[in-house]
Amino acid sequence: MQAFLLYIDPGSGSLILQILAGGALAAGMFVKTYWLRIKSFFKKSDNSSHNTPK
Amino acid sequence: MTAQREPSSFRDRSGYIFYEGEKVFRVVGNSYKKEYDQLHSSGLYKHLTENGLLIAHEEVPADLWPAHLASSDVYKLVQVPTLPFVSYSYEWSFQQLKEAALLTVQIQLAALAHGMTLKDASSFNVQFSGGKPLFIDTLSFEEYEEGRPWVAYRQFCTHFLAPLSLISLVSPDLRRLSQLSVEGIPLSLTSRLLPRKTRFSPFFQMHIHLHAKLENKYSGDVQASKKVTRSLSKTRLTAIISHLQSGVNSLQLPVSKTEWSDYYEQFSYSDASIEHKKTLVREWAGEIMPARTWDLGCNTGLFSEVVQAVSGQVVSFDIDYMAIEKFYAALKKKPYTNVLPLVLDLGNPTPAIGWANLERKSFADRGPADLILSLALIHHLCLGNNVPLGHVASLFAKLARHLVIEFVPKSDPQSQRLLVTRADVFDDYHKEGFEAAFGEYFTIRKRELISGTERTLYLMTCKS
């Protein structure tokens, strides 16, 4: 692995946090996307039921 | 002309700043050649400067370099515009600090889009010029390598996120914690000071509380940082920066009414008195035509507005955080951009901090100004803060060459307010005492009673 040559100390904890935060935000996005898809699926079916003549 | 090296320009070895008279130059070292070239070839420099985000510079041809650079390790010499005034995050209003933070994030996102990244995110890299924040460190950029986390993330949190959160959720007084260390406010301290409810917010939990915990856990663990190289995708890194951006954007200052921010609204001055005072200030300052004016005790900037019309730059100071907040917000709608409002307690002004007390300057070290405006201030300093008149005169003589100053006698309702709860031990606080004290340092050029009041306005010029 290549070592960082930096003039400020990034902090090991801060680097690790970014890996975790990146994962958490990606997971959040994933859940959100699917939630929107599920919602839009039900909305569509709702709409279609409204449009169906009785 | 002799070159003077900027004393704070030593941490980053990529280059340094030096001054020749009023001119400012930045030396770009050979070690920064690759990054400097990439900054230009990637289009990032053009993008940032055209949008007014980064300070623009002009390269000085090598045959015009001063002799003292001949033997040193120089790749380029660039000239940068002189800043009107150097201010620090602990003197900014909430909105100013927030704008500086958002500018840093915006620049980091633009850098990533151009294959570069910020190697530091210090609040000292942002200055106010032309009414808005400007990133001033051209040497803060380096090549972005896919997989690498943001090395300046912690610095962004200690320099921006910590003070913004503490000011917003605890108290504006905590802005001064930034003054205790040039490294910003420690995250462990921020985590302990923030209210309990922030532990349930994903934003604060992630960037402050968990961040502080991990910082403690892994501090000094060399193995830990080796494990985390090359494992954060650019998409995820961008998501973190965007998360910071939206979080910072949603931070607000709780609306609170302080003593002074509604001063003009409820103050006893009549409109005619204010108009008379405005006319005198405009005329007298107009005679001086100052390049640099400092308006001390500016409140929400009523007279800064008057004096800016005849001044180059105006820096306006007040102790009241909310007044400066209000002032800065109002400036956004004004056609002029030469006024910078800052929070300052003249009774305990900004000290010099950092290495050898030279890195970040004290309030007085950033002078002198050409003109000081000191309106409705003297009674607060002398009657409210027990400072003898002679001390005020001596300080003002160091700070500026000319002085427009208002003397507020004891009989004035505002002085009476200050004296109501205390013994009047200020025997020499009267017009004659004032003129004697200031007469030691200044020549009194004009004096005029402000109509409808017992206050007198003076125009003075320093004797030395």
Side-chain angles (χ1 to χ4, degrees):
Chain A
M1 280 285 157
Q2 186 192 349
F4 296 155
L5 293 170
L6 307 164
Y7 91 97
I8 61 164
D9 175 15
S12 307
S14 301
L15 297 178
I16 291 166
L17 177 79
Q18 289 180 72
I19 308 299
L20 297 177
L25 290 172
M29 281 303 290
F30 180 84
V31 170
K32 202 173 166 187
T33 315
Y34 272 83
W35 176 241
L36 288 176
R37 271 195 203 171
I38 292 165
K39 254 177 46 180
S40 67
F41 173 79
F42 279 104
K43 256 196 188 152
K44 256 185 216 156
S45 52
D46 271 4
N47 286 347
S48 58
S49 64
H50 282 303
N51 293 338
T52 319
K54 280 178 186 164
Chain B
M1 189 165 282
T2 52
Q4 265 193 317
R5 195 168 161 157
E6 164 58 46
S8 69
S9 192
F10 67 88
R11 287 184 189 271
D12 183 2
R13 303 299 161 86
S14 311
Y16 61 90
I17 289 278
F18 72 86
Y19 307 100
E20 267 187 19
E22 290 276 299
K23 288 181 183 170
V24 187
F25 296 93
R26 186 186 286 283
V27 170
V28 183
N30 278 317
S31 63
Y32 195 70
K33 178 179 187 299
K34 194 178 117 223
E35 291 83 358
Y36 182 87
D37 289 343
Q38 191 187 358
L39 177 66
H40 286 85
S41 65
S42 65
L44 179 59
Y45 173 82
K46 189 169 181 279
H47 169 78
L48 295 179
T49 49
E50 280 182 357
N51 287 291
L53 308 177
L54 172 70
I55 199 162
H57 61 231
E58 252 179 67
E59 286 186 10
V60 180
D63 52 322
L64 296 177
W65 290 1
H68 63 91
L69 289 186
S71 58
S72 32
D73 172 37
V74 181
Y75 175 55
K76 296 272 184 193
L77 178 68
V78 299
Q79 187 177 353
V80 285
T82 311
L83 293 166
F85 186 83
V86 172
S87 61
Y88 305 124
S89 66
Y90 33 88
E91 298 170 324
W92 297 341
S93 67
F94 186 78
Q95 186 58 28
Q96 286 170 313
L97 182 59
K98 185 167 157 177
E99 285 179 13
L102 290 172
L103 172 76
T104 306
V105 169
Q106 192 185 354
I107 288 178
Q108 171 64 354
L109 287 172
L112 284 173
H114 288 79
M116 297 197 84
T117 180
L118 281 177
K119 63 180 180 182
D120 51 22
S122 150
S123 67
F124 299 111
N125 281 344
V126 180
Q127 287 300 326
F128 283 81
S129 176
K132 59 188 189 55
L134 182 67
F135 198 82
I136 57 156
D137 190 1
T138 320
L139 309 188
S140 279
F141 300 89
E142 64 181 4
E143 188 182 359
Y144 168 69
E145 285 172 42
E146 180 77 34
R148 270 177 66 169
W150 186 22
V151 294
Y153 169 66
R154 178 169 72 173
Q155 198 175 36
F156 180 84
C157 294
T158 59
H159 276 239
F160 290 110
L161 190 55
L164 281 169
S165 314
L166 291 171
I167 293 168
S168 159
L169 297 162
V170 186
S171 161
D173 295 332
L174 294 186
R175 74 183 182 279
R176 280 202 144 179
L177 285 180
S178 300
Q179 196 180 281
L180 299 180
S181 161
V182 286
E183 304 296 341
I185 307 177
L187 294 176
S188 51
L189 177 62
T190 310
S191 173
R192 266 180 287 147
L193 290 174
L194 281 177
R196 213 182 163 72
K197 64 176 185 191
T198 57
R199 295 189 180 268
F200 303 102
S201 139
F203 178 75
F204 290 110
Q205 188 53 257
M206 188 183 286
H207 300 293
I208 305 269
H209 299 302
L210 186 61
H211 194 175
K213 228 177 245 172
L214 290 176
E215 195 185 19
N216 270 352
K217 190 174 172 191
Y218 292 105
S219 75
D221 184 350
V222 184
Q223 296 306 316
S225 70
K226 277 188 183 156
K227 271 181 242 156
V228 294
T229 48
R230 299 195 169 274
S231 44
L232 183 71
S233 72
K234 193 172 180 176
T235 319
R236 288 186 177 190
L237 175 60
T238 310
I240 295 173
I241 317 273
S242 303
H243 193 240
L244 278 174
Q245 187 177 38
S246 59
V248 166
N249 212 9
S250 63
L251 287 174
Q252 299 288 340
L253 199 61
V255 183
S256 77
K257 233 183 199 181
T258 54
E259 196 175 3
W260 304 113
S261 54
D262 52 356
Y263 186 70
Y264 297 122
E265 283 84 353
Q266 47 158 268
F267 183 46
S268 48
Y269 257 138
S270 72
D271 286 351
S273 304
I274 290 187
E275 278 316 308
H276 186 214
K277 194 160 134 182
K278 276 185 177 177
T279 309
L280 291 176
V281 168
R282 195 181 300 115
E283 277 176 16
W284 294 359
E287 280 180 32
I288 308 289
M289 291 297 278
R292 273 179 277 234
T293 300
W294 286 3
D295 182 2
L296 306 181
C298 63
N299 200 261
T300 54
L302 187 62
F303 292 93
S304 300
E305 170 152 330
V306 174
V307 84
Q308 65 77 29
V310 291
S311 300
Q313 296 292 334
V314 179
V315 191
S316 308
F317 303 91
D318 203 279
I319 189 174
D320 186 328
Y321 192 79
M322 290 312 292
I324 295 298
E325 187 71 21
K326 210 168 167 181
F327 187 174
Y328 185 69
L331 278 177
K332 298 275 169 194
K333 292 167 208 132
K334 303 286 184 184
Y336 51 84
T337 58
N338 58 338
V339 180
L340 173 64
L342 295 172
V343 185
L344 181 93
D345 175 3
L346 204 56
N348 178 24
T350 312
I353 63 165
W355 178 251
N357 289 121
L358 288 173
E359 267 192 273
R360 310 298 163 200
K361 291 182 175 130
S362 74
F363 162 64
D365 283 345
R366 283 171 280 168
D370 301 306
L371 172 68
I372 278 183
L373 210 58
S374 163
L375 306 174
L377 176 68
I378 193 85
H379 55 309
H380 291 291
L381 300 178
C382 298
L383 306 179
N385 211 20
N386 287 35
V387 182
L389 279 164
H391 284 44
V392 181
S394 145
L395 174 69
F396 284 6
K398 277 184 210 135
L399 296 180
R401 183 151 170 71
H402 305 281
L403 182 58
V404 171
I405 186 166
E406 179 180 23
F407 180 72
V408 183
K410 274 186 199 167
S411 53
D412 189 277
Q414 294 299 321
S415 296
Q416 286 300 313
R417 239 185 92 222
L418 290 169
L419 289 169
V420 82
T421 52
R422 51 193 314 190
D424 180 0
V425 293
F426 312 100
D427 294 338
D428 60 349
Y429 190 86
H430 41 67
K431 205 172 155 185
E432 294 69 32
F434 170 81
E435 289 186 8
F438 278 77
E440 238 185 79
Y441 302 90
F442 294 91
T443 308
I444 297 173
R445 288 168 54 179
K446 290 182 184 189
R447 66 167 73 70
E448 197 163 327
L449 198 69
I450 299 167
S451 66
T453 74
E454 291 176 56
R455 302 175 169 202
T456 314
L457 197 68
Y458 293 84
L459 170 65
M460 305 183 185
T461 296
C462 215
K463 280 179 175 168
S464 54

